[in-house]
Each structure stands twice: as C-alpha cells, then as structure tokens.
Amino acid sequence: MSKGPDDMTASCYSLVVDETGIATVGFDLPGKVNIMDDTFMQVMPRLIDRLEGMREHLRGVILTSRKSTFFAGGDLALMRRAERGQEQFLFTHFQRLKSFLRRLEKLDRPLVAAINGTALGGGYELCLACHRRIALANPKTRIGLPEVNFGILPAAGGVIRLTAILGLLPALDFLVTGRAVDVAAAYVSGLIDEAVETEAMLMERAKAWILENAGTRQVWDRPRELGAHRLSAENRGAIFQVAPWLRKSFRQPSQAAVRIADIAAQSIFLDFDIASRIETRGFVELVLTQEANKRISAFFETNTRPQRLD
C-alpha cells in the first residue's frame, strides 16, 4: 500500500509528549541534513496543526533534530532557479514560510530550540523563533546566518529577530559579515542562551526551562515592552553608526550588506509583521540579482551534493 501525504510528512519528524505535557519534535527530513525545501513546506503546516490541536494539554514544545545536525539552511536550489517575473511567487512562498514560524512562536506555550548540531541560515532562523536556544557543545557545530555570502538576506525573519535580540550593531556584526561561529562563541555573543555538554543535559535543560517559564512571550510580541526594547538609547544611537561602520568594515559594502543594514535599522521602529514584509521584499529583490545568481551558482558548481547554507 502506498503512503498518503500525511503518512509521508509524518515520517519526516517524531512527536512525543511526556508525562509533564512537554512535546518534543525531532525533525528528520529526507537527505543527510534537514533543509527548508518543498518537503519542509509540506511538513510544517501539518505539524503545527497537530500542536495547535493539543495545545490545551501542552506545557511547552522542544524543537530538535534526529540527525547529527540541527538544520543546515534554506532551499538554495529554489533560489538558484529564481527568475524575473516570479516576484509574486517568491514573495508568497517566503511569507508562507515565515507564517509557520509565527504560528509556532504564537502557540502561547514556551518553545525551546534544542540545538544538537549545526544551525545555519534558515535553520538558525527557526531557532530565533523559539523563546530559548540551548546548544550541545560539539566542536564541529556552527551557528549563524551566512546568507549575505550568497548575495541575499535571511528570508525567514532572521534580520528582524536577531536585531531585536542582540541590538542593532551586534546583530549586524553577524548579519552583514555572514560569519558562523562555534557554540562557545555563540553563547558569548548571545546567539544562544545556554551551552551544555551532553545530549541528556540538552533535553533536561530544555524541559526545566519550559516548566519554569509558563506564559513567556517573544519580546516583539509584548506591546508594553516593544518600544522600550527596540527604541533604547543604545539602538537609537546605533542607527547613526551603521553607515560609518559599513564603510569601515568593507571597502565597498555589497548590495546585500547595505540592504540588510537598512532593514535592520527600520525594524527597530516597526511592528514585527510590517517589518517582516519589508524583509521579504528585500530578499526577493536580492535573490533576483546577477550577484546572487552568480554566488549561488558557484556554490552548486563546487558542491556536487549541495545541502547547506555555509
């Protein structure tokens, strides 16, 4: 008997709810690593439907991976195929991708990313949509948003969320350079909240944090704190430092670097969902440039089985 769509997508993740009401989702998409491809786009709405359906019985949700990496990134093959005339398709596709992450962070339950391996690009953006990021201290693990290296920008909320979490200039230090770091550096810089030594500790800390933080919400979804958090004196002052910082850091900043910096600065003043649409428009503009096509194509030419955004 052939499998139906629900059977196939369900086999791409595990979902276990323990006696305390904490759900653990383990992603296991086809291929060596998890990427945000067409299968992911089919899996996510069904998974979120399940979580929303059992929400009143849940204390929280842990997102992890059943592979040795967490998530390796976005769908570079789709980006490579992008052509002029597909602007509306691309905008709709990535807004839909973002809607999955918004539904997750609005479950009204604590959401923890248990990062058991490399989390790059879209994979790290999934982590940013969680209320807490805890990583296993594996020396091979790399964490970051390397999209600028491909002439594009993070397409799943990474510019806005990282800016809100770290502040404008600290976020740009990762967004505009595209650098990925190890777990120790990720902890020091604020890309993750905790680092642990064993997989058992990873799950223990994730569950403990959920039980201690019922009712938590993302800072961009707390109306009373939104203005104070984003429009701090530090962030306001940083806006005037962005252009000099870009000129100092790069002889000639790329189009992607300039666009990322502009969107990050705008996001400080805007409602999250409005900023998100601006971010998506910026991504669509960039992915259709010759520079992006050149860089993404070069990646495919040097990687016979491209799976990662690194």
Side-chain angles (χ1 to χ4, degrees):
M1 180 184 292
S2 62
K3 291 185 177 181
D6 288 339
D7 294 326
M8 286 187 287
T9 56
S11 68
C12 294
Y13 66 87
S14 58
L15 174 58
V16 178
V17 182
D18 70 13
E19 66 280 0
T20 67
I22 295 175
T24 299
V25 176
F27 287 102
D28 192 9
L29 294 161
K32 292 182 179 180
V33 294
N34 295 316
I35 59 173
M36 292 182 169
D37 57 7
D38 287 342
T39 302
F40 178 83
M41 297 294 287
Q42 296 175 45
V43 165
M44 287 303 287
R46 292 182 170 91
L47 168 61
I48 298 168
D49 284 346
R50 291 182 67 185
L51 293 172
E52 288 176 342
M54 61 176 69
R55 177 169 45 197
E56 67 178 79
H57 304 294
L58 292 180
R59 299 281 294 277
V61 180
I62 300 169
L63 301 183
T64 190
S65 170
R66 292 168 60 189
K67 300 180 184 293
S68 59
T69 59
F70 182 76
F71 256 87
D75 190 351
L76 279 177
L78 171 66
M79 300 175 204
R80 188 190 190 193
R81 296 193 301 269
E83 299 177 343
R84 294 287 176 186
Q86 293 183 322
E87 288 85 351
Q88 187 57 52
F89 162 76
L90 291 166
F91 181 84
T92 300
H93 177 88
F94 285 98
Q95 280 293 108
R96 182 167 177 261
L97 170 60
K98 288 182 171 185
S99 74
F100 302 149
L101 306 193
R102 283 300 273 161
R103 284 176 68 187
L104 279 173
E105 67 184 0
K106 287 191 167 186
L107 273 172
D108 193 32
R109 296 292 184 272
L111 185 63
V112 176
I115 307 167
N116 61 312
T118 289
L120 292 173
Y124 180 59
E125 289 180 281
L126 179 60
C127 300
L128 288 173
C130 296
H131 302 101
R132 189 78 170 174
R133 288 158 291 282
I134 307 173
L136 179 63
N138 183 329
K140 295 182 179 180
T141 293
R142 291 295 178 268
I143 296 172
L145 295 168
E147 283 86 349
V148 70
N149 297 326
F150 294 89
I152 56 177
L153 58 80
V159 176
I160 304 164
R161 289 188 174 95
L162 195 63
T163 299
I165 291 168
L166 296 187
L168 182 55
L169 288 181
L172 288 180
D173 189 37
F174 287 98
L175 292 164
V176 173
T177 63
R179 64 192 181 99
V181 297
D182 62 22
V183 172
Y187 174 69
V188 171
S189 63
L191 294 182
I192 61 172
D193 301 296
E194 293 183 58
V196 297
E197 295 298 326
T198 67
E199 291 193 19
M201 291 174 64
L202 180 66
M203 302 311 295
E204 287 171 9
R205 283 302 304 143
K207 291 183 178 184
W209 191 88
I210 285 172
L211 296 176
E212 294 164 4
N213 290 273
T216 189
R217 298 179 69 189
Q218 298 285 27
V219 67
W220 45 85
D221 287 325
R222 303 176 197 168
R224 294 180 182 178
E225 300 177 31
L226 179 61
H229 177 76
R230 290 192 180 168
L231 293 176
S232 64
E234 183 179 358
N235 264 345
R236 289 199 304 270
I239 289 173
F240 299 101
Q241 300 175 47
V242 169
W245 181 82
L246 280 174
R247 288 194 297 269
K248 181 180 178 181
S249 303
F250 307 92
R251 287 186 178 180
Q252 186 174 355
S254 68
Q255 184 178 354
V258 172
R259 196 75 178 95
I260 287 169
D262 177 57
I263 293 168
Q266 288 187 64
S267 73
I268 294 170
F269 299 94
L270 299 173
D271 168 83
F272 181 91
D273 293 317
I274 293 173
S276 180
R277 292 177 68 85
I278 292 172
E279 182 188 71
T280 306
R281 290 193 192 102
F283 169 80
V284 172
E285 291 169 8
L286 289 169
V287 80
L288 294 172
T289 62
Q290 290 184 350
E291 180 66 17
N293 182 263
K294 177 182 176 182
R295 293 192 180 199
I296 294 171
S297 294
F299 176 84
F300 276 82
E301 290 167 7
T302 55
N303 293 268
T304 57
R305 300 178 74 96
Q307 295 279 0
R308 300 205 308 246
L309 250 178
D310 62 356

